[in-house]
Amino acid sequence: MNPQLETFLELLELRLQLLRALAQELVACRKEFVAMDLDGMHRHISLQEELCRKIERLHPGIESLQKACAEKLGLGRSAGKILLEDPGGRLRSVLRDLHEAQSELGRLTRVHASYLRRSRRTVDVLMNFLGNYALMYAPPEQHAAQAPSDAGGR
């Protein structure tokens, strides 16, 4: 197998691993949303951001190798001859797995977005409640601090 194609496959496999790790992080983050654990959410969000940055850094290398392999085989952007040069079907398998991982990640992202929307609604309700009843339910230390000064002024 041609060395550029081998490097291209390695980058695609690395991207696949990162996509799967990101999907696992999205699933793991659900527990923190349900428990309303802000520290846990922030930890998972940081990990998700790092995984996204790693995936983003792979794109230029993948695109340049894809173009180089296509030019070497005289394809433009077609993958037909590249797939013919892949006797073990490794490239075909990686591309299929990438497609499946991207589809699953898209589904998980939509689920995650719905958690965020619901959390936002919950926060909005709580903020409205606090805004409407803040004076009625003031913290006890404020009442205790005001009582002596009110009594002394009479």
Side-chain angles (χ1 to χ4, degrees):
M1 187 181 290
N2 135 9
Q4 285 182 321
L5 185 56
E6 184 65 34
T7 305
F8 178 60
L9 274 167
E10 289 170 4
L11 287 176
L12 289 178
E13 288 170 338
L14 179 58
R15 184 170 194 267
L16 178 60
Q17 290 172 0
L18 292 170
L19 288 173
R20 287 177 175 160
L22 182 56
Q24 289 173 348
E25 273 303 312
L26 286 172
V27 170
C29 191
R30 289 180 191 173
K31 294 174 188 169
E32 276 71 14
F33 271 94
V34 171
M36 293 188 184
D37 176 9
L38 289 177
D39 291 333
M41 283 187 237
H42 287 290
R43 269 193 316 276
H44 284 286
I45 290 169
S46 294
L47 289 169
Q48 292 165 13
E49 288 173 339
E50 181 59 30
L51 288 168
C52 287
R53 280 191 291 275
K54 287 179 180 179
I55 291 168
E56 190 175 19
R57 285 193 297 262
L58 288 177
H59 283 295
I62 289 173
E63 286 189 16
S64 67
L65 281 169
Q66 184 178 8
K67 287 177 186 176
C69 288
E71 286 172 6
K72 187 172 184 166
L73 296 170
L75 301 175
R77 289 191 63 98
S78 168
K81 287 186 183 176
I82 293 176
L83 291 175
L84 291 175
E85 219 182 80
D86 182 30
R90 183 173 161 211
L91 179 61
R92 189 180 315 255
S93 173
V94 169
L95 290 174
R96 183 186 62 246
D97 291 347
L98 267 172
H99 175 72
E100 290 171 5
Q102 288 169 334
S103 297
E104 178 65 8
L105 190 59
R107 186 188 71 75
L108 290 170
T109 301
R110 287 187 297 279
V111 170
H112 193 72
S114 73
Y115 275 113
L116 289 172
R117 280 190 302 276
R118 287 185 213 138
S119 296
R120 181 70 216 167
R121 274 187 249 140
T122 301
V123 167
D124 288 344
V125 167
L126 291 173
M127 293 301 291
N128 285 336
F129 178 81
L130 286 174
N132 290 331
Y133 297 102
L135 297 175
M136 189 179 300
Y137 297 106
E141 58 271 359
Q142 286 182 346
H143 293 297
Q146 292 174 356
S149 64
D150 290 340
R154 289 184 192 177

